Every structure is written in C-alpha cells, then in structure tokens.
Amino acid sequence: MNPLPPNTDELVSAYLDGQAAPHEVVIVESSPELMARVEATRSIADLVSGPAAPPAAQKDAHISAALDAFDALFAQDVDQVPLAASPVLTAVPTSAAHHAVEHATTSPAPDTTTTSGVTSLATAREKRQPRRFNTGIIAAAAAVVLLFVAVAAFGLGGGEDSFDVASTQSEAANTVADAPEIESSTDGASESEMMTAEPPAVGALEAAPAPTSASPQAAASQPAEVIADEEEEMAADAASDDGGGLDSETGAALATESLALAPLPLFVGDFPDQEALLRELEQVPVDELAKRVEPFEPGLFPSCQQDVPELIAIETATLVGGAFIAGEAVEVHRIGESDDIVLVDPTDCSVLPATP
Amino acid sequence: MSGDDRALVAQAQGGDRAALDELLRRHYDRIYAICRRIAGNDADAADATQEALMAIVRGLAKFDNRAAFSTWSYRVATNACLDELRRRKRRPTPALVDEHDGWAEQNTHDRTPAFDEQIAVRDEVQAALNQLPEEFRAPVVLRDCGGLDYAEIAETLGIPPGTVRSRIARGRAKLAEILHAGNQPTRGERQNNQS
C-alpha cells in the first residue's frame, strides 16, 4: 500500500468540496483508503449541514420586522433617490483627491474598489488651510453651545439620566465603529425593539434606543468601559442632543468638539456629504487620529478592516471613527501611520469613492 | 434559482414588498442555520438572524448582483453572527440557555424517539462545533451549511482561498476527532467555552 500523501485531510476535504486540482483528484481517486476518508469526511459535512430549523413564529416575526424596516426605508428613499440609483451604484468619478490632478486626464474612472477611495488628509489639510478660520469660529460657537447644553443637562436630568444617555451614545458610537452591518439604529437592539422597526433616519443613531449590549443593566455593569469621566459624559450628552434640534453643521462641530474633549467616542458626526466629513477629519490632529484606534477592541474580525485590501495587511486596528453621510453610516479607517483615510460602507465593506 | 433571485432582487430594489418577502422567506432557513451553527445557541442565532435580515434590507439598494444573492446574504449573516459573538464576549454571560430551547419546546407533542435522536445528534454536532475556534468554525459552516465555494468564503471572511482550504480541512478533522472520540464537554464546560 502506498503511503498517504502529506496534507491528507486537506486533500480529502478539497476533493469532497470539488475544489481539488485535477492532479489531486487523480491521487484521491486512485487510493481506496483516501476514498474511504472522503466518505468519512462527507458524513461529518452532512452532520454540519443538517437542519437547524428555526421556530416558525420566529421566522414570521423576523421577516415581518424586516419588511417593516423596508417600508420605512423605501418610503424615505422615494422622496430622495430611487433605491437602485444609489450613489454607490452609479458611475461616480472616483479619483482620490490627491491623485486627481495627476490622473484625471489619463486614467479611466476607476470602479468602486478600494484604491479609488483613499483620501490624503495631509494634502487636503494643506489645500484647506485658509478654511480653518471659519471652522474655528464654528468650533468656538459650538463650544459655547456645548457648555450650555451640558449645564442644562446637569441641571435638568440628574446624574443617572445623564449616565444613561451617555452610555447609550457611547455604545451606539462604538457600534457604529465596530459592527460590519451597523447603519441602522436597531443594530444590537433587543428583538422587541426590532419588531417595532423604527424607520432609520438621519441622525437616528444619536437618538437610538440602547442596543442589547447597552441595556441599562449591561451599562450599569460596565461603567468604566462605557464612560470614562464626567467630561466625556458632557460631550456625549451634547452629541446626543445633536439630533434634537441643532442643525447638522453645528452638530458636526459639536461632534468634533467632543472629540477634542474626549477621544473615546468614535462617532464623528452627521454630515451632509463626504466633503464635509473630510473637512472635519482634517481638523483632527494626527496624534489624535492615532489615539482613536485605542477604544477599538482588537478582534479577529475588526469590522471591515479585513475586507479592504489596503487594510488587510495592517496588523493594528485601522478604524478611527464612524459617521453619517446624508443619513448613511460610514466607517473611517486610517491607513497605517499615514494621513490617508478610507471611508467604508459598513453594509458591504466597499470603499466609498473619493469625491472629485 | 439564482435567476429567480435576481428578478426578485430587482423588484425589491424597486420597492416591491412582496418580492422582498419572497426573497427573505426563500433564504431565511439557510441564513438561520448559518447563524445557529456559528453562534452556537438559539438566542444568539435569533439575534444575529434578525440583524442579518435588517442588514440585508438596508444593503439591498447597493447590492449589484456581482455575487449571487444567496452568497451575499450569507456573507451578511456571517458578519452579523461574528458581530454578535463579539458583543457576547463584551457583555456579562447570560443566564444558562437551553441548548435546544424553542424548537424542542414547541414540538413536545410531536416528539418521537426518532425526533429525540435528531435533537441529540444536532446538539452533539453543535457542541462539537462550539469547541472549534471561530476561525475554523466559520469557514466550515459557510461551506457545509451555506454551500459557498472556497473563493466565496475567502471573500466573505477576508482570508486567502488557500487558508480557507486548510481551515476547512483542519476544522473537519477536529470535528471528526471530537465526534468520534465522544470527547464532549459537559454543559458547564460548554458554558465556560462560550463565555
């Protein structure tokens, strides 16, 4: 009897799946012993593929909730852009800002793959130097508003309510930052909350109900993880108020301000367009950008990082923020130690094309 | 099947609720099965499945048919499950969850010895799967439960196809070892493994 080849398990497994190379097929089929192992492996595969039937009531409830969410989403989109004509599907010129001048006349418009979406904040910072004055004024005004809101929150809410709001905001921000599928405010929400399927809306995250992992009990059991200190609580309070009456520009400035006060929350803000988000990110010092990966819990599947070719090889976390652009959630990833930023759509981990 | 899916997707993208309903019903069982196998218990699987459906609804507008709808939806489901697992690691260990809550309870009147045996086998396989590290469990489930090929699994998990091949092989070998050796942990041990 011939000795079994090395990596027999792999050979047999690949053969079973129809993924073996032709010469490997020959090897397996010429060996009764290997064919016997194929059958044994097949029985294991059959066991795994066996039924794991859901309760019928659960199936109906889940689908019903999804359909309700669909209704709400579609009703919203009909007033704006038809679903099938979303910006990602249309042929948007996608040259990155810092490559646009060099390649605009010679390169075909790239598709929505990752390389096209890289934006250099350093270059953008240089270009936008004069604009800082205006943003500074906005930030100063926002600081005043922030102070006002914080004082009001302390005066009206009391410590426990503030904590809950801050916990919710912080957890929601982390959810935006972490989850691959996160744009809905229902992400992580309890099933009963999902059944009601509140329509996702611009800024919905700020007002989102506490996700399962941020339920009052869970929040109470993890206060250190959720909120660091009183200052952060104030910032989170202010940010959570963003959806309650402040306009998006002020809200974005507030988010930036809270980011400067307390780097822990990853939520950057709600922006009307990509350009506005990038403008805000330009204001974040490089050191601050580096610090923003710290709250992210390292894991096997850090959100979209492993789906974006530019980021796969980077061993440290690259996620530095989450934000909304016109109501759609985006993840902000930083490429290594550089100033380059990619914006990723968390629903499918595609990189958003940089605006021309 | 995938051709039908394509038509349904197009209709759903145009706002056809019935088309989406059909699409979700068609794939629900498989999505749930994947979540159940990866998450390891019914409660987390239910949460992850709901997350997956919501994500599918939200992402449908951007789904461009480059992959089959089934592949894409299984990918979404996998991400929802892995996310659920990550959240589970962050929050306190929940109360003991019955390994076959829901399904078995619902069918108490119909139970026969064969049914009990099915339940036992299902639990045994799930317990064995739960002993596999996540990086082996996910590709095995996507292959055997989701029917994805290696390239699709590689795309879903963001790892090279060669790694998929070796992880599936090693995962199955480990499963066989566990199942054949009867090396099942006690419920308490399983609980510890999950927390």
Side-chain angles (χ1 to χ4, degrees), chain A residues 48-49 300-301, chain B residues 33-41 44-45 78 81-86 88-89 125-146 153 156-157 159 163-164 166-175 178 190 192-195:
Chain A
V48 174
S49 67
L300 276 174
F301 300 94
Chain B
I34 289 172
C35 289
R36 181 65 177 79
R37 290 302 194 201
I38 293 179
N41 64 67
D44 287 333
T78 304
C81 288
L82 295 173
D83 197 40
E84 187 59 34
L85 286 179
R86 226 168 45 211
R88 189 172 64 187
K89 283 175 187 168
V125 172
Q126 187 62 60
L129 272 171
N130 289 353
Q131 289 186 62
L132 289 186
E134 235 172 72
E135 62 263 37
F136 294 105
R137 195 190 320 155
V140 167
V141 170
L142 282 174
R143 173 62 212 163
D144 291 338
C145 230
I153 296 170
T156 300
L157 299 177
I159 54 179
T163 307
V164 170
S166 65
R167 286 188 183 176
I168 289 176
R170 290 170 64 189
R172 283 172 173 162
K174 181 68 180 168
L175 275 179
I178 295 168
R190 285 204 297 268
N192 288 338
N193 286 341
Q194 286 179 20
S195 63

Side-chain angles (χ1 to χ4, degrees), chain A residues 9-26:
Chain A
D9 287 338
E10 205 172 308
L11 195 60
V12 165
S13 183
Y15 176 85
L16 176 66
D17 293 334
Q19 305 273 316
H23 73 277
E24 292 175 324
V25 172
V26 173

Side-chain angles (χ1 to χ4, degrees), chain A residues 17 24 184 188 222 301, chain B residues 17 51 58 86 90 150 165:
Chain A
D17 293 334
E24 292 175 324
S184 163
Q222 296 176 309
F301 300 94
Chain B
R17 191 179 202 270
E51 294 285 337
R58 292 194 301 271
R86 226 168 45 211
R90 282 207 298 253
Y150 289 2
R165 175 176 152 133

Side-chain angles (χ1 to χ4, degrees), chain A residues 121-163:
Chain A
L121 289 182
T123 310
R125 279 188 177 113
E126 286 171 17
K127 285 181 183 173
R128 299 185 186 284
Q129 201 69 23
R131 302 181 72 159
R132 287 192 176 187
F133 176 70
N134 289 339
T135 315
I137 291 174
I138 293 170
V144 173
V145 175
L146 170 67
L147 189 61
F148 174 77
V149 170
V151 168
F154 276 118
L156 293 174
E160 199 174 324
D161 289 346
S162 304
F163 177 80

Side-chain angles (χ1 to χ4, degrees), chain A residues 176-195:
Chain A
V176 152
D178 286 354
E181 310 297 339
I182 42 101
E183 78 188 71
S184 163
S185 61
T186 56
D187 185 16
S190 68
E191 198 164 322
S192 61
E193 285 164 347
M194 286 175 176
M195 295 309 150

Side-chain angles (χ1 to χ4, degrees), chain B residues 10-179:
Chain B
Q11 290 165 19
Q13 285 176 330
D16 187 337
R17 191 179 202 270
L20 179 66
D21 190 1
E22 168 65 20
L23 205 53
L24 294 181
R25 285 189 188 282
R26 187 178 282 185
H27 293 280
Y28 183 90
D29 287 358
R30 189 54 67 182
I31 288 172
Y32 177 80
I34 289 172
C35 289
R36 181 65 177 79
R37 290 302 194 201
I38 293 179
N41 64 67
D42 285 334
D44 287 333
D47 284 350
T49 304
Q50 177 72 90
E51 294 285 337
L53 293 193
M54 290 295 184
I56 287 168
V57 166
R58 292 194 301 271
L60 192 63
K62 293 171 186 168
F63 174 64
D64 57 7
N65 283 306
R66 274 185 294 185
F69 176 79
S70 56
T71 305
W72 176 72
S73 62
Y74 299 161
R75 171 186 173 150
V76 169
T78 304
N79 283 332
C81 288
L82 295 173
D83 197 40
E84 187 59 34
L85 286 179
R86 226 168 45 211
R87 273 199 291 266
R88 189 172 64 187
K89 283 175 187 168
R90 282 207 298 253
R91 68 186 182 221
T93 307
L96 192 66
V97 176
D98 190 329
E99 284 293 314
H100 41 254
D101 53 51
W103 192 42
E105 294 303 320
Q106 275 198 341
N107 294 281
T108 45
H109 298 300
D110 305 329
R111 288 175 68 156
T112 62
F115 181 83
D116 284 343
E117 193 177 336
Q118 272 187 336
I119 292 281
V121 169
R122 195 188 77 153
D123 286 354
E124 194 181 347
V125 172
Q126 187 62 60
L129 272 171
N130 289 353
Q131 289 186 62
L132 289 186
E134 235 172 72
E135 62 263 37
F136 294 105
R137 195 190 320 155
V140 167
V141 170
L142 282 174
R143 173 62 212 163
D144 291 338
C145 230
L148 272 60
D149 65 29
Y150 289 2
E152 291 166 340
I153 296 170
E155 190 192 339
T156 300
L157 299 177
I159 54 179
T163 307
V164 170
R165 175 176 152 133
S166 65
R167 286 188 183 176
I168 289 176
R170 290 170 64 189
R172 283 172 173 162
K174 181 68 180 168
L175 275 179
E177 184 187 318
I178 295 168
L179 290 168

